[in-house]
Amino acid sequence: MSFFEIFGFALRGVAANKLRSGLTVLGILIGVAAVILLVAVGTGSAKQVEDSLAALGTNTLTVQGGRGGDTGYRTDLTLDIVKALQDKESAPDVKSVSPVVNSAQTLTFGDASYDVNSVIGTYPSYFAASNSVVASGSGFTEEDVDQAARVVVLGPTTAEELFGTTVDPVGQRIGIAGQIYSVIGVLAKKGSTGFNDPDDVAIAPLPAVQRSLTGYGPVSSITIEAASADAVAAAKAEITAILNAKMHVADGASSTPYQIRDASQLLETRTATAETFTVLLGAVAGISLVVGGIGITNIMMVSVTERTREIGIRKALGAPRRVILTQFLIEATLLSLAGGGLGVAAALIGANFEIVGIKPVVMPDSVALALGVCVAIGLFFGSYPASRAAGLRPIDALRYE
Amino acid sequence: MTGPYGREQRPVLDVVDLVKTYGEGETAVHALAGVSMTVAPGDYVAIMGSSGSGKSTLMNIVGCLDVPTSGTYRLDGVDVSELNESQLALVRNRRIGFVFQSFNLIARTSALANVELPLAYAGIKPAVRRERALAALDMVGLANRAEHDPNQLSGGQQQRVAVARALVSQPALLLADEPTGNLDSRSTADVLSILDGLNAQGRTIVLITHEDEVAAHAHRTIRLVDGLVVSDVRRRDITPVGVPA
Ligand SMILES: Nc1ncnc2c1ncn2[C@@H]1O[C@H](COP(=O)(O)OP(=O)(O)O)[C@@H](O)[C@H]1O
Ligand SMILES: [Mg+2]
């Protein structure tokens, strides 16, 4: 008998029991697709964290606090401290210093109003330090700061909530706590980092915000950009020295009335979180691979009785062992490959959609692994009963239960 | 070798002192306890005996589906125990047609495809085997059911398909283990008339039955009791053997 004819037998065998064939294909499909997709979601989330942290800027240091010290001197963050930090001599590794005041406010435009997450009052250097890129219009200048100009740059979320998608916000006038501000620019999208939306902001010159919203007290934090990523540590030491001097903190004091956070710390913790997440998803994927494999095995085993009897009949009719083995091996191969192929297709289609807010990134390795394992299981358990039955005497195969 | 009735002809079947034991020790069952018989070409033999007397066991060994514990079995003068796996497959395919009590058609496979199967394993071209399979189905009166699956056929029709499958490769020896055991009287008559016709054309037939009416179709009746031949009665002469159709 030619291989071609045996192939025909195998095709007929697959078509003869559509339910069994369908279940086998489905089992392999789910196994393969689940593994590929889970790994893709894990990888996607790790990538997302990396991207969003890169967007935060890794050269940036943030000074917070400045309240509750027990040195007997003023320990809040004042513009005097900002000036001291700007001194190139005592802080050569500091590129820029931007004081920041924050307040949640309601923005209005015509009849529309929107509760913005934070209205930030600061200096122009803040844009570069916080990786905020002006996408349309422009940022404000030193001059705007000097004149306490009522101009504002909106984050993309804020702009869209207030103006919708049809109106160009640049040049419009909006109300912030009863004061009129001109919108001079809109920032580029940064994307969510998970907990809060960095795009939900309105940034205005510091004195304008202080005058109309927060008052001229101390600022809430100071954002400092180091000269380079390598200079972050040096900049931090310089800042510490200046703050200690200004706030009269004793050398070697166990606690300071301020905190300096740097982005690389944030990066480390978040990357570690993302890695844990990927490992967890990988474990789930591994389990689903095992479960999928058991499912495949089960379906293949269920058909053993029927197959064994069929093989008994075929042998009684004079089928050579080789022909039987070839037929059943081809059947198993067809089912496994169909299931595997459809599983990969399903995973690739599924990967186009966001899953729990994460854009999956398909890893070629996981495709190869899932396909390899599931197809191997399908092949083995598809052809193993056949090869065993083909070795039996016809009468034993016919009697098999 | 000389047949039991004096004809100078090599027997199709020559069984000597066949023993088949299932199990071991105290629980051993001696299904065959030393059976000897010869069947000449063209003979039509009924094997009778109560349930459990070893009829099926004998038939499975004669049909090369099972092997005996001891004793020799020659098919057309060839000692079957000396054949290897692929030679046995060839013997089952070319020399023997086997009809089972439970039909044993392959499920979800058309009657035609079932009948074509032995020819396919014999390596016969698709066009030729289709033609021959249709001819065999025609012979059992089921040409119009060729595309039906087994579960769309009555028991009698299924058994006729099984007979067509057994005779399609034109084997010299047709073995049938209670072929009418699961059939009503109408279907029984159909199947038996087909077998009678085949024997009239010179084919050797051995069938198992426990019904006297069925056995009456045969020319000779062998009775088994507890795995031993207790009687061997000929009623009619062996059909003269021409060239099998
Ligand atoms: N596979 C087997 N295993 C154990 N005992 C068997 C087996 N097949 C048949 N037997 C026993 O061998 C004896 C003869 O069985 P069988 O040839 O089927 O009888 P019959 O066909 O005449 O009814 C019975 O006692 C039966 O129980
Ligand atoms: Mg029986």
Side-chain angles (χ1 to χ4, degrees):
Chain A
M1 258 186 110
S2 69
F3 177 82
F4 190 70
E5 273 199 81
I6 303 175
F7 192 84
F9 271 30
L11 269 186
R12 234 174 294 160
V14 168
N17 199 331
K18 295 195 177 58
L19 183 64
R20 187 183 66 212
S21 302
L23 284 175
T24 310
V25 168
L26 191 68
I28 298 175
L29 186 159
I30 291 173
V32 170
V35 172
I36 296 175
L37 266 187
L38 282 171
V39 174
V41 168
T43 316
S45 79
K47 187 171 176 301
Q48 202 173 46
V49 168
E50 268 169 42
D51 288 352
S52 66
L53 288 175
L56 277 181
T58 47
N59 298 358
T60 314
L61 296 158
T62 308
V63 181
Q64 270 181 326
R67 247 166 263 264
D70 48 11
T71 56
Y73 295 87
R74 281 193 65 158
T75 57
D76 41 17
L77 301 173
T78 58
L79 291 182
D80 181 38
I81 287 177
V82 171
K83 278 217 177 60
L85 291 171
Q86 278 170 331
D87 179 28
K88 281 290 162 209
E89 253 160 57
S90 49
D93 290 301
V94 169
K95 186 175 166 193
S96 75
V97 181
S98 319
V100 171
V101 294
N102 254 319
S103 80
Q105 295 290 345
T106 303
L107 308 190
T108 55
F109 173 67
D111 291 337
S113 75
Y114 175 65
D115 294 326
V116 69
N117 196 19
S118 76
V119 173
I120 293 173
T122 186
Y123 289 172
S125 56
Y126 178 79
F127 289 98
S130 65
N131 261 7
S132 303
V133 178
V134 179
S136 68
S138 61
F140 53 81
T141 59
E142 299 286 352
E143 219 167 282
D144 292 325
V145 174
D146 291 343
Q147 296 172 359
R150 282 211 276 256
V151 293
V152 66
V153 176
L154 300 180
T157 304
T158 316
E160 195 180 319
E161 292 286 346
L162 201 58
F163 294 97
T165 47
T166 48
V167 182
D168 179 9
V170 177
Q172 305 287 350
R173 290 165 159 274
I174 63 171
I176 304 179
Q179 309 284 331
I180 304 297
Y181 279 73
S182 310
V183 179
I184 56 167
V186 176
L187 297 175
K189 228 180 172 54
K190 280 184 176 177
S192 172
T193 51
F195 302 108
N196 52 30
D197 181 359
D199 295 329
D200 189 12
V201 291
I203 304 174
L206 177 71
V209 175
Q210 283 180 319
R211 175 157 52 178
S212 56
L213 304 173
T214 62
Y216 291 101
V219 299
S220 4
S221 65
I222 303 174
T223 298
I224 294 162
E225 190 179 5
S228 70
D230 298 333
V232 172
K236 195 172 178 179
E238 291 156 15
I239 295 162
T240 307
I242 293 168
L243 290 175
N244 282 353
K246 282 277 172 194
M247 297 181 188
H248 300 270
V249 177
D251 281 347
S254 60
S255 72
T256 56
Y258 57 87
Q259 291 157 4
I260 306 175
R261 287 197 296 140
D262 84 65
S264 67
Q265 281 172 348
L266 215 61
L267 188 90
E268 264 165 41
T269 50
R270 294 227 186 147
T271 308
T273 311
E275 269 164 16
T276 314
F277 189 48
T278 308
V279 168
L280 266 176
L281 279 175
V284 172
I287 291 169
S288 59
L289 194 60
V290 171
V291 171
I294 292 171
I296 297 164
T297 312
N298 211 352
I299 289 162
M300 289 297 195
M301 287 304 207
V302 163
S303 71
V304 165
T305 310
E306 192 185 303
R307 310 247 78 175
T308 304
R309 280 190 58 87
E310 180 186 331
I311 288 169
I313 298 171
R314 289 177 184 274
K315 287 199 81 170
L317 297 177
R321 199 190 148 109
R322 179 187 58 84
V323 171
I324 291 179
L325 283 183
T326 313
Q327 176 192 335
F328 284 85
L329 197 64
I330 294 172
E331 279 189 29
T333 310
L334 284 176
L335 293 177
S336 303
L337 286 184
L342 288 175
V344 171
L348 292 183
I349 291 171
N352 286 323
F353 299 99
E354 281 201 355
I355 297 169
V356 291
I358 292 163
K359 177 91 186 65
V361 177
V362 174
M363 299 293 285
D365 287 1
S366 72
V367 174
L369 179 78
L371 205 58
V373 170
C374 289
V375 168
I377 291 172
L379 266 182
F380 179 76
F381 287 103
S383 47
Y384 163 74
S387 79
R388 213 197 33 182
L392 292 175
R393 267 179 236 142
I395 198 67
D396 292 331
L398 279 168
R399 278 202 200 110
Y400 186 89
E401 248 140 52
Chain B
M1 214 179 167
T2 308
Y5 298 92
R7 281 178 175 239
E8 290 293 331
Q9 212 160 17
R10 189 169 69 185
V12 182
L13 292 181
D14 180 12
V15 169
V16 181
D17 215 15
L18 217 51
V19 173
K20 178 75 180 181
T21 309
Y22 292 110
E24 277 165 38
E26 292 187 1
T27 57
V29 176
H30 301 283
L32 295 179
V35 171
S36 300
M37 67 171 191
T38 51
V39 176
D43 209 350
Y44 193 169
V45 182
I47 296 177
M48 299 191 74
S50 58
S51 180
S53 57
K55 308 182 297 288
S56 294
T57 304
L58 177 62
M59 199 64 132
N60 293 334
I61 292 170
V62 167
C64 298
L65 304 180
D66 205 352
V67 293
T69 309
S70 69
T72 54
Y73 163 38
R74 279 177 221 283
L75 179 69
D76 277 333
V78 178
D79 188 342
V80 168
S81 66
E82 284 167 7
L83 301 180
N84 66 22
E85 168 87 27
S86 65
Q87 288 168 321
L88 275 175
L90 218 61
V91 166
R92 289 180 204 123
N93 186 244
R94 307 283 163 86
R95 315 207 68 88
I96 299 169
F98 208 111
V99 179
F100 300 89
Q101 178 176 356
S102 54
F103 321 139
N104 274 345
L105 297 179
I106 292 181
R108 302 178 204 88
T109 304
S110 72
L112 183 65
N114 262 288
V115 176
E116 273 189 34
L117 219 48
L119 301 178
Y121 290 131
I124 291 168
K125 292 257 168 337
V128 180
R129 78 184 180 223
R130 187 183 162 83
E131 195 177 302
R132 283 177 60 181
L134 279 171
L137 278 173
D138 193 34
M139 190 171 166
V140 298
L142 288 174
N144 58 343
R145 295 282 194 281
E147 294 306 329
H148 288 222
D149 282 357
N151 63 3
Q152 297 169 316
L153 298 171
S154 72
Q157 288 170 331
Q158 287 187 55
Q159 193 60 302
R160 277 146 70 195
V161 172
V163 172
R165 187 177 67 182
L167 61 83
V168 73
S169 54
Q170 310 204 328
L173 182 60
L174 199 68
L175 304 175
D177 188 348
E178 303 202 39
T180 60
N182 287 352
L183 303 183
D184 59 26
S185 56
R186 172 98 194 80
S187 302
T188 298
D190 285 345
V191 168
L192 287 175
S193 74
I194 294 166
L195 294 183
D196 292 350
L198 287 168
N199 178 251
Q201 292 165 17
R203 230 173 278 280
T204 313
I205 297 178
V206 178
L207 73 81
I208 291 177
T209 182
H210 50 241
E211 293 171 73
D212 289 324
E213 308 90 84
V214 174
H217 285 255
H219 300 171
R220 173 186 171 197
T221 301
I222 296 173
R223 280 183 189 278
L224 289 186
V225 172
D226 290 343
L228 285 168
V229 176
V230 294
S231 77
D232 186 345
V233 180
R234 174 167 297 282
R235 288 184 303 279
R236 255 164 286 168
D237 276 346
I238 294 173
T239 313
V241 182
V243 182

